[in-house]
Amino acid sequence: MNDVSDVVFLLVEDFSHLAFACALEPLRIANFVADRELYRWRLASADGRSAICSNRAVTLVDQDLTPLERGEALFLISGINVQHHVTPRLLSYLRTERVRGVPIGAICSGAYVLAEAGLLDGRRAAVHWQYHDLFKERFPFVNLTKSVFVADEKFVTASGGAAAADLMLHRIARDHGRDLAAAVADQMVYSGAREASATQRVSARAKYGIRNNRLAQAIGLIEESLETPFSSYELSKRLGISTRQLERLFSRYLNTTPKRYILEARLHRARNLIMQSEQAITEIAMACGFTSTSHFSRVYRDHFGKSPVNQRSVLN
């Protein structure tokens, strides 16, 4: 019985080298540990010659956007500036391979490309946390998750970095058993393999060393309501404490005020949208809870040292 799995990694310009290595190396190590060929792979890019990753290293590839062979799976790996590398040819290729029945997965910002191709509507998907703001604005019909990877959907997705290794270890365990997956993780000196349900970003409790449950809840509520931000009074009311108690919590653990923390969270979301999308500044201001574009521009410049327009011009 032939139990060899064939994978084609499609590398999009500015792809994440870390995510690529974390996706490929577990397959190579699985072959090494098993002492037989369990996985084969080829590399592809738009021009069929090479692809440049975000650290500027050049990777040679085996093929261009040609149809896959029967039984092969496709994994698309992208990284920064993904929205500038999505071409009609790439989208057409993905849709065609989908119609041909090719299993398709995406890693790091790759889910953005699949969503742009219209393949993820109504489905759960994982994408790197840095793209969450842009993704939610652009693809409201995709069920975006904070999980490190999604393996139980028709289109498998992983959020990037070490999450690609988590996904591949999950795949190895599914294909050849948990013992082999554990042996591969040992070879990688990787003791922290995560299940799909793990979240990408550390919790507020872990990030700030917070041991106060109320403050962790407050931060969660703030991050979930940036478009219609709470006032300090509304936030304290939701938590069942007084405004003064809330202010003491933020002062003690974060050395700031609730009002300042909420404003900075909104501004950082706005910065993500400015740098990653082509939305109008006015639309971004509204999406981050600012009713006045002039006020938004002023507080943005005060915080980041440049206006929203100048922030975007740096990228062009």
Side-chain angles (χ1 to χ4, degrees):
M1 178 180 177
N2 181 13
D3 59 356
V4 178
S5 298
D6 291 289
V7 179
V8 174
F9 291 104
L10 173 54
L11 307 179
V12 177
E13 290 295 295
D14 277 333
F15 70 94
S16 165
H17 209 171
L18 175 60
F20 173 48
C22 285
L24 178 56
E25 283 297 286
L27 306 186
R28 180 192 67 80
I29 295 170
N31 291 350
F32 171 76
V33 172
D35 197 26
R36 61 192 179 95
E37 191 174 56
L38 301 177
Y39 297 96
R40 290 187 298 245
W41 53 86
R42 298 198 312 279
L43 309 182
S45 71
D47 67 12
R49 295 188 297 272
S50 64
I52 302 176
C53 66
S54 55
N55 66 17
R56 310 318 298 160
V58 178
T59 300
L60 301 180
V61 304
D62 305 295
Q63 67 179 65
D64 61 6
L65 302 183
T66 54
L68 271 59
E69 301 292 332
R70 183 178 180 84
E72 291 181 326
L74 178 68
F75 273 94
L76 182 148
I77 305 180
S78 56
I80 62 173
N81 302 318
V82 62
Q83 64 274 30
H84 301 304
H85 300 305
V86 178
T87 64
R89 180 171 173 243
L90 175 59
L91 298 179
S92 176
Y93 175 72
L94 292 170
R95 294 178 186 125
T96 299
E97 293 304 284
R98 162 69 180 87
V99 171
R100 294 180 63 236
V102 172
I104 299 176
I107 294 172
C108 195
S109 60
Y112 180 97
V113 186
L114 299 190
E116 194 71 69
L119 302 179
L120 296 181
D121 284 358
R123 302 184 186 278
R124 294 173 63 243
V127 71
H128 191 282
W129 62 263
Q130 193 171 16
Y131 280 88
H132 274 212
D133 292 331
L134 171 62
F135 200 98
K136 286 187 288 188
E137 288 289 325
R138 186 162 181 80
F139 309 114
F141 299 111
V142 180
N143 184 7
L144 184 62
T145 174
K146 295 181 180 179
S147 300
V148 289
F149 67 87
V150 172
D152 57 354
E153 286 280 356
K154 190 173 186 66
F155 297 94
V156 175
T157 50
S159 56
D166 297 321
L167 174 61
M168 290 305 174
L169 289 170
H170 174 89
R171 181 184 180 96
I172 292 166
R174 181 202 66 188
D175 294 345
H176 302 287
R178 291 186 175 275
D179 288 344
L180 178 61
V184 171
D186 285 343
Q187 285 287 327
M188 297 168 60
V189 198
Y190 187 46
S191 59
R194 298 164 292 181
E195 296 295 325
S197 57
T199 56
Q200 292 182 47
R201 300 185 74 178
V202 295
S203 66
R205 190 184 307 278
K207 184 175 181 180
Y208 299 108
I210 296 170
R211 296 184 179 181
N212 186 284
N213 187 53
R214 285 261 171 75
L215 182 55
Q217 289 177 344
I219 291 173
L221 287 171
I222 290 169
E223 292 179 346
E224 292 170 4
S225 60
L226 296 180
E227 189 168 344
T228 53
F230 290 113
S231 67
S232 296
Y233 171 75
E234 291 168 332
L235 189 58
S236 62
K237 189 174 181 180
R238 288 286 296 268
L239 296 170
I241 61 177
S242 69
T243 304
R244 179 165 295 189
Q245 285 176 298
L246 181 70
E247 290 173 346
R248 280 202 296 264
L249 288 175
F250 274 81
S251 176
R252 177 181 177 185
Y253 291 102
L254 303 179
N255 195 32
T256 190
T257 65
K259 182 178 180 180
R260 185 66 190 174
Y261 187 95
I262 292 168
L263 175 61
E264 290 180 353
R266 293 160 62 199
L267 288 171
H268 280 282
R269 184 187 186 205
R271 185 172 184 269
N272 278 344
L273 291 174
I274 288 168
M275 297 180 70
Q276 297 170 7
S277 77
E278 297 180 359
Q279 279 185 284
I281 300 299
T282 302
E283 294 176 354
I284 291 174
M286 294 180 62
C288 297
F290 294 94
T291 56
S292 165
T293 305
S294 59
H295 173 66
F296 166 62
S297 297
R298 184 171 62 255
V299 296
Y300 189 99
R301 184 174 54 251
D302 289 345
H303 187 73
F304 292 113
K306 60 185 67 176
S307 70
V309 173
N310 288 339
Q311 180 83 74
R312 177 166 282 171
S313 67
V314 171
L315 305 175
N316 298 327

